[in-house]
Amino acid sequence: MTQMVLCEFVMAYGEEVLMPAGLQCWDERGRLIVDLRDYNTRYVGSVSGTIDATAPQLFIPYSAATLSGCFGVIVSTKSNSQGYAAFPYEFSARAINGGIQIIRVGGAKNVTLTVDVYAFI
């Protein structure tokens, strides 16, 4: 079953904006599952890597990434396996010291992923 998630991203300042900056996501029951509105973040860069169809995970080197101060967001996926589509929700991205760890949670296929890296400031 596909889980529906509602996300709101606000980068604005003014009297009528209730949440001045950040990211919030809710699941299909209305529960808040991601809340980054209390954190200021900055875009650090973008990395790409290809995970083999038989690999459960992939490490993409990126020297600016740290375990305690960064996070990665999968922004695109491209299937390299003929006849199969690839979707971002089939993977999880985790920043670790020196790079981004990609963990497969979906089916086996060869996929090229692009991950944007952000740092907390």
Side-chain angles (χ1 to χ4, degrees):
M1 181 171 122
T2 302
Q3 182 178 5
M4 298 299 293
V5 176
L6 169 68
C7 292
E8 178 180 66
F9 180 69
V10 179
M11 288 292 289
Y13 296 94
E15 292 180 22
E16 296 188 26
V17 177
L18 299 177
M19 186 179 74
L23 172 71
Q24 291 182 307
C25 295
W26 295 266
D27 67 9
E28 70 277 359
R29 294 187 183 118
R31 295 178 298 194
L32 186 64
I33 56 174
V34 173
D35 189 354
L36 297 177
R37 65 184 166 172
D38 293 338
Y39 299 96
N40 287 323
T41 60
R42 68 179 169 83
Y43 175 78
V44 177
S46 181
V47 294
S48 293
T50 299
I51 187 167
D52 188 64
T54 59
Q57 60 185 358
L58 169 71
F59 177 75
I60 305 172
Y62 192 71
S63 62
T66 63
L67 178 64
S68 62
C70 294
F71 64 95
V73 177
I74 299 171
V75 294
S76 72
T77 55
K78 178 186 174 291
S79 177
N80 301 317
S81 298
Q82 188 173 355
Y84 293 95
F87 303 97
Y89 63 78
E90 296 179 292
F91 302 91
S92 175
R94 177 180 181 222
I96 58 177
N97 293 334
I100 301 294
Q101 180 182 26
I102 303 295
I103 301 167
R104 180 191 308 277
V105 295
K109 57 191 115 177
N110 184 297
V111 177
T112 300
L113 301 106
T114 302
V115 179
D116 283 351
V117 181
Y118 294 87
F120 295 107
I121 53 174

